[in-house]
């Protein structure tokens, strides 16, 4: 006779096991960038093949990026942006311009500059 090992579990345990994995903020940012790239391609009425010719990124890679199969590295993102005459901008989070033109400020935020390791400390 075969023995069966029965494990006691409650509804909370089952809920946790079946819950979809949470997305990190960096993953969401990557998704936003990919969605923006797709939107740019559509609004410029160009095919993936045309984008490949302009950017130097092979069409199958563009397909895989747009369909969530692959996550692009920074070099690929920059090549795709350059095909549209755009670049990636890194701005100050203390002052972020919102889509409606309003500005959001982070208030009294201390400077986050890192000390120069080559300078002597006092």
């Amino acid at each position: 006779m075969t023995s069966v090992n029965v494990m006691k579990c409650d509804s909370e345990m089952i809920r946790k096991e079946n819950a979809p994995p949470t997305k990190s903020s960096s993953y969401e940012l990557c998704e936003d960038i990919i969605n923006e790239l797709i939107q740019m391609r559509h609004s410029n009425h160009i095919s993936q093949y045309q984008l490949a010719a302009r950017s130097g990124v092979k069409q199958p890679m563009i397909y895989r990026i747009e369909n969530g199969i692959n996550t692009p590295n920074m070099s690929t993102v920059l090549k795709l942006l350059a095909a549209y005459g755009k670049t990636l901008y890194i701005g100050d989070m203390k002052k972020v311009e919102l889509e409606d033109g309003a500005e959001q400020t982070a208030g009294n935020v201390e400077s986050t500059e890192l000390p120069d390791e080559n300078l002597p400390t006092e």
Side-chain angles (χ1 to χ4, degrees), residues 12-25:
E12 182 66 24
M13 181 184 279
I14 293 170
R15 194 174 321 120
K16 285 180 181 178
E17 286 180 5
N18 294 329
T22 58
K23 295 180 182 177
S24 67
S25 60

Side-chain angles (χ1 to χ4, degrees), residues 27-109:
Y27 180 83
E28 290 174 353
L29 179 59
C30 190
E31 268 187 339
D32 291 344
I33 291 170
I34 291 168
N35 288 335
E36 187 66 26
L37 289 167
I38 294 168
Q39 183 60 38
M40 281 192 286
R41 187 173 67 75
H42 290 170
S43 65
N44 283 286
H45 308 289
I46 64 171
S47 69
Q48 290 178 351
Y49 291 101
Q50 291 168 315
L51 179 56
R54 290 182 185 184
S55 66
V57 177
K58 296 187 184 297
Q59 183 276 328
M61 178 56 76
I62 294 170
Y63 172 86
R64 290 192 301 267
I65 291 168
E66 289 188 359
N67 288 281
I69 299 166
N70 286 30
T71 302
N73 61 32
M74 186 61 69
S75 166
T76 303
V77 169
L78 293 173
K79 286 178 186 177
L80 293 170
L81 287 170
Y84 299 108
K86 303 208 182 267
T87 190
L88 189 62
Y89 171 76
I90 299 174
D92 190 350
M93 290 295 287
K94 293 178 188 174
K95 187 175 183 181
V96 178
E97 187 173 326
L98 302 176
E99 287 182 15
D100 64 0
E103 290 183 355
Q104 175 183 6
T105 58
N108 298 330
V109 178

